[in-house]
Amino acid sequence: MHVDWPALARVAAVSLGVTVAVVVVFTLGVLGLSHTPTDTDPTPTVAGRTQAALCFLACGAVVGYGIYLIVPQFH
Amino acid sequence: MDHITFLVAVVIVTALAFDFTNGFHDTANAMATSIATGALAPRTAVLISGVLNLAGAFLSTEVARTISGGIVDDARVSPAMIFAGLVGAVLWNLLTWLAGLPSSSSHALFGGLIGAVWVGAGGDAVHFDKVVEKILIPAVASPVVAGVAALIATYLAYRLSARARKDTVSRGFRLGQIASASLVSLAHGTNDAQKTMGVITLTLISAGALGHDAGPPVWVIGAAGLAIGLGTYLGGWRIIRTMGKGLTEIQSPQGFAAETASTAVILTSAHLGFALSTTQVASGSILGAGLGRRLAEVRWGVAGRMVLAWLITLPSAALVGGLSASVVKHGGTAGTVVIAAVALTLAAAIVLAARRDPVHAGNVNDHHRVTVRAGSAT
């Protein structure tokens, strides 16, 4: 019997790494949006919005890469 | 196309019926948490999921090849055995749907096939080493990996956002969930629609209509994608309730973490050709997300019943598949007709039993329990 342990380990490591990275970066993006000048004003600050945009962009890039990986025509 | 006999046509129809129940059963994997947190309205969620499943079917056919060329000896499989195996899979899927249990459609399919081939062609026609390598090990590993990933991600998300504005956090993650749930659906299409393609391809190979190492033809990909997309759209609300509400009370950061973990595991596995169970991955993620917020949040009774269903899915479907195969083997065409009639009757009985306490788009979030009322029928 041949079990491809390295491939399984790769699936585990990549999944864990990608999940934690995406969720942490996304959370930082949401934190950016929650940076408001006062507690009552719901509009985020410019710095907050920039942080959010960068984080969401990074998450979007990961999604794009995921789609790239699953479509054989792209390779 | 003179290789396509009546029996082969019946098998293809049954395979598409299985694909339909597969979509129906698995809508929950992608959408249960989004529906539970209100990120998506129930009807919108199943529509998005259905369309993406169809799209996913066309994107990748790697798993389809590993199934038809892997777990059973293609040369000794007859369309009758495939039919018997599919009957086992469809019936088991319907039964677990009635109970609202997110069991694995993939295991039902493999179980049914293994049972049918075992009875029909002998135990040595089943490649048990491949079964362990391609099915059992990923089945044990994948929910654990997804669960651990979701747990760590959820913990960090709550830790980091502890002092942020609650409304912004909740809304932000709900928007994120739309994207992550969509990706799960897409990944589901690339994974599960391929199982049916694999089965139909296996049938065509066994009937001599395709060469031994052939991939699925375009019409097979299209039909499988449509069947799973339609099943997904109609939505297995009973299972959606269990996964969205039953296992744990999900909030939007948990939903996002769970869906991200599921996507990551499914996509990386599909890329390497492992045919894992999306259901088990998604359930593992949801449990992990529940634990990541607070240990007590998980309803262990529900989780326990679910794991029990996972354990008995493959053997149960194998038993039904084996029984069907023995009837078909000894009864010939008459046996096939009898099995088809019995299967249809049982399916109708299950659907009627579900009607006694229906779960639908309107009430899916109202409770966390799916009940089956005792009655005179079944």
Side-chain angles (χ1 to χ4, degrees):
Chain A
M1 186 177 74
H2 167 76
V3 177
D4 196 349
W5 294 110
L8 271 174
R10 245 180 12 246
V11 170
V14 172
S15 307
L16 194 76
V18 170
T19 306
V20 171
V22 167
V23 172
V24 165
V25 172
F26 191 89
T27 310
L28 293 176
V30 173
L31 282 180
L33 286 183
S34 116
H35 258 283
T36 50
T38 61
D39 276 352
T40 46
D41 184 2
T43 328
T45 59
V46 175
R49 255 180 290 177
T50 315
Q51 180 184 333
L54 287 175
C55 290
F56 295 147
L57 214 65
C59 291
V62 175
V63 170
Y65 183 64
I67 294 174
Y68 164 80
L69 278 183
I70 55 172
V71 185
Q73 287 85 337
F74 287 163
H75 296 248
Chain B
M1 290 295 240
D2 49 344
H3 289 293
I4 312 273
T5 60
F6 173 69
L7 184 59
V8 172
V10 170
V11 173
I12 293 172
V13 171
T14 319
L16 293 174
F18 166 77
D19 204 23
F20 178 85
T21 65
N22 191 159
F24 191 72
H25 220 268
D26 290 9
T27 321
N29 298 343
M31 291 301 171
T33 59
S34 300
I35 292 171
T37 62
L40 285 165
R43 292 255 176 238
T44 319
V46 292
L47 179 65
I48 293 176
S49 189
V51 170
L52 289 172
N53 263 287
L54 176 61
F58 283 92
L59 289 179
S60 163
T61 51
E62 197 168 343
V63 178
R65 289 168 211 271
T66 64
I67 290 177
S68 50
I71 58 165
V72 288
D73 190 344
D74 288 358
R76 294 170 59 186
V77 173
S78 69
M81 292 174 213
I82 299 175
F83 168 73
L86 285 167
V87 167
V90 170
L91 287 180
W92 185 253
N93 258 358
L94 285 175
L95 206 63
T96 46
W97 163 72
L98 176 66
L101 285 174
S103 68
S104 164
S105 304
S106 337
H107 284 199
L109 174 61
F110 294 139
L113 276 179
I114 290 168
V117 171
W118 196 339
V119 170
D124 57 331
V126 180
H127 295 158
F128 286 101
D129 53 340
K130 285 276 182 195
V131 172
V132 173
E133 179 199 337
K134 292 279 180 197
I135 303 170
L136 290 185
I137 290 179
V140 174
S142 61
V144 175
V145 172
V148 170
L151 191 155
I152 298 173
T154 304
Y155 175 78
L156 290 173
Y158 275 92
R159 192 71 189 265
L160 287 169
S161 64
R163 283 183 299 151
R165 295 168 60 101
K166 289 282 167 274
D167 54 338
T168 314
V169 170
S170 180
R171 204 182 57 232
F173 278 106
R174 250 185 244 157
L175 288 175
Q177 268 197 288
I178 297 175
S180 59
S182 300
L183 258 188
V184 179
S185 297
L186 190 68
H188 187 262
T190 65
N191 215 299
D192 279 34
Q194 294 178 45
K195 288 166 190 155
T196 304
M197 291 179 214
V199 169
I200 297 178
T201 309
L202 182 59
T203 309
L204 293 173
I205 290 173
S206 73
L210 283 175
H212 260 278
D213 282 319
V218 177
W219 66 268
V220 172
I221 300 175
L226 274 176
I228 204 166
L230 194 66
T232 307
Y233 173 65
L234 287 173
W237 300 107
R238 304 175 84 81
I239 299 169
I240 293 177
R241 179 182 282 178
T242 300
M243 285 181 86
K245 289 272 168 189
L247 285 173
T248 179
E249 292 297 327
I250 287 272
Q251 294 181 347
S252 62
Q254 293 171 291
F256 180 74
E259 286 160 5
T260 307
S262 302
T263 317
V265 172
I266 295 164
L267 285 191
T268 42
S269 312
H271 185 57
L272 291 168
F274 286 116
L276 49 71
S277 158
T278 337
T279 309
Q280 296 183 349
V281 171
S283 316
S285 299
I286 292 173
L287 283 177
L291 289 172
R293 182 154 70 100
R294 210 183 308 151
L295 195 70
E297 290 283 328
V298 173
R299 290 195 188 89
W300 291 109
V302 180
R305 258 186 294 151
M306 182 184 76
V307 171
L308 189 69
W310 291 358
L311 291 177
I312 60 174
T313 289
L314 201 145
S316 308
L319 202 67
V320 181
L323 275 174
S324 312
S326 77
V327 173
V328 171
K329 191 180 175 185
H330 300 295
T333 310
T336 310
V337 173
V338 167
I339 287 296
V342 170
L344 277 174
T345 313
L346 284 174
I350 292 171
V351 171
L352 281 179
R355 287 236 178 126
R356 287 167 188 274
D357 187 18
V359 180
H360 46 75
N363 70 1
V364 64
N365 281 341
D366 294 356
H367 304 281
H368 61 81
R369 261 199 301 224
V370 175
T371 49
V372 183
R373 282 203 200 127
S376 48
T378 53

